[in-house]
Amino acid sequence: MATDKKVTAAITAVGGYVPEDILTNADITKMVDTSDEWITTRVGIKERRILKDDTKGSSYLGIKAVEDLLARHPNIKVEDIDMVVVSSNTPDYHFPTTASVIADGVGIPLGVPCFDFQGACPGFLYGLQIARGFVESGLYKKVLLISAEKMSAIVNQKDRATLPLFGDGGACVVLEPTTDGTGIQDVILRNDNAGNAEHLIMKAGGSACPPSHETVDKDMHYVYQEGQQVFKAAVTQMGDVSAEIMERNGLSHEDVAWVVPHQANMRIITATARRINLDMDQVMVNIDKYGNTSSASIPLCLWDYEERLHKGDNLVLTAFGAGFTYGSVYLKWSY
Ligand SMILES: CC(C)(COP(=O)(O)OP(=O)(O)OC[C@H]1O[C@@H](n2cnc3c(N)ncnc32)[C@H](O)[C@@H]1OP(=O)(O)O)[C@@H](O)C(=O)NCCC(=O)NCCS
């Protein structure tokens, strides 16, 4: 009697885009009271990309990333995509969805469902779990998952505590069913919402505090972060949740080809690698050139390192962000 092979959701293509304009640490020292030395040693960023055009939002970054994916992977046809999911903390609008704007921009067939969700910096990990559900259930065959973040739109140009940290970028993947044993193996998603919301928040603009002259005057439409509170939690949780997913899947550090950490601070990245005994040459890093691109940082790493990945490589993805929310994904690379 034939036994059915397990269906898993596999990443079958990656695309990415960062804007051409570069904002260096030297440029930032002309805007706020800081130094290249402070940013380099405390955070690990040398430069970040900025989408300078005020008429373009995160959808522009998403559209360029999808165009890149289609150009790099001619086997993926836009007319075969049957769902579009966008992770963004900086959507074009409250509504319509950025997913529908991107779908229109790249020519996704009419009728294909498109939606956004917000998962803070671990948004891409949430997106993989969402897409996995749709693919493994058999309901959808080619899910386009996009993370697009125009962080420069929500960063206070006068705040040295946040201005050096963030950059703009977009990246995307296609997820398809496979029975060859590769693809998403396990996911852990957690939320530590015990009074932590206030440590990393955009205070106004939503329904709890709608925009007004006062909220604008008080700079309440920008990222507000208590860096040390976030750092302490991120450094513990990203390491612990990576160790947990490895342990429950019987993986030792020798079995893991790459860890792909959210790119918020080089000190958090190195601590995470240390916690799971991985050498730094097995850690994907692009924080030095792109800064923190929120939910786009992990897929931008996959995009940067795509040519160095091999079928069957074990990858551990991990991220932490506002909420506090965090998680890890264990996947086997599929191509
Ligand atoms: C934001 C972050 C880089 C700040 O680094 P830090 O070492 O924690 O810095 P602190 O906030 O404790 O500030 C230390 C000192 O540097 C100063 N400082 C802060 N920003 C500075 C800047 N851009 N340039 C120079 N000095 C700065 C502070 O004023 C403080 O000075 P003091 O000691 O005289 O009071 C760090 O806390 C961080 O990475 N946090 C986590 C971010 C994260 O993981 N986010 C996840 C979701 S995106």
Side-chain angles (χ1 to χ4, degrees), residues 34 38 42 121 160 225 227-228 230 264-265 267-268 292 320:
T34 189
W38 193 92
R42 302 306 294 164
C121 292
R160 75 170 183 172
Q225 175 170 251
Q228 276 193 21
V230 182
N265 188 310
R267 290 181 289 141
I268 299 174
N292 181 347
F320 182 95

Side-chain angles (χ1 to χ4, degrees), residues 251-270:
L251 296 173
S252 84
H253 64 99
E254 285 164 355
D255 303 315
V256 175
W258 296 97
V259 62
V260 194
H262 171 49
Q263 310 281 305
N265 188 310
M266 196 60 203
R267 290 181 289 141
I268 299 174
I269 293 170
T270 50

Side-chain angles (χ1 to χ4, degrees), residues 10-236:
I11 293 176
T12 55
V14 179
Y17 174 75
V18 288
E20 280 165 22
D21 278 307
I22 297 175
L23 185 68
T24 65
N25 288 352
D27 298 329
I28 290 202
T29 61
K30 294 179 198 133
M31 301 163 76
V32 291
D33 178 18
T34 189
S35 64
D36 174 46
E37 200 259 337
W38 193 92
I39 302 170
T40 306
T41 56
R42 302 306 294 164
V43 201
I45 302 170
K46 297 302 279 183
E47 58 187 44
R48 62 293 285 147
R49 301 300 184 97
I50 303 294
L51 180 54
K52 281 198 171 156
D53 187 339
D54 284 342
T55 66
K56 294 188 167 80
S58 292
S59 65
Y60 178 79
L61 304 167
I63 288 168
K64 298 294 265 186
V66 175
E67 287 172 354
D68 176 69
L69 181 146
L70 295 169
R72 288 151 66 101
H73 297 274
N75 54 320
I76 304 281
K77 305 279 180 236
V78 76
E79 55 271 23
D80 295 334
I81 300 293
D82 56 3
M83 175 173 279
V84 181
V85 185
V86 168
S87 158
S88 185
N89 300 292
T90 53
D92 282 18
Y93 314 104
H94 278 294
F95 56 86
T97 65
T98 301
S100 60
V101 179
I102 294 174
D104 187 28
V106 299
I108 300 285
L110 292 178
V112 166
C114 304
F115 68 94
D116 295 4
F117 71 96
Q118 195 211 18
C121 292
F124 185 72
L125 306 188
Y126 278 83
L128 289 178
Q129 181 76 316
I130 291 167
R132 178 194 192 197
F134 283 119
V135 169
E136 286 187 4
S137 65
L139 290 171
Y140 292 88
K141 298 269 180 259
K142 271 194 173 62
V143 177
L144 178 60
L145 169 63
I146 304 156
S147 291
E149 303 281 10
K150 187 182 177 185
M151 295 303 290
S152 62
I154 60 165
V155 170
N156 186 343
Q157 305 287 303
K158 293 175 284 190
D159 178 18
R160 75 170 183 172
T162 50
L163 176 65
L165 307 180
F166 297 99
D168 301 338
C172 56
V173 297
V174 169
L175 287 124
E176 300 181 62
T178 183
T179 52
D180 70 1
T182 65
I184 299 172
Q185 307 292 311
D186 196 9
V187 178
I188 299 176
L189 297 172
R190 298 257 165 76
N191 209 299
D192 178 9
N193 42 354
N196 286 318
E198 67 198 34
H199 301 311
L200 183 48
I201 186 168
M202 184 195 285
K203 293 180 178 173
S207 56
C209 184
S212 66
H213 288 290
E214 189 189 355
T215 61
V216 172
D217 290 344
K218 289 186 173 168
D219 287 339
M220 291 168 73
H221 296 269
Y222 296 122
V223 178
Y224 169 80
Q225 175 170 251
E226 290 160 13
Q228 276 193 21
Q229 299 283 350
V230 182
F231 185 94
K232 270 189 272 176
V235 88
T236 308

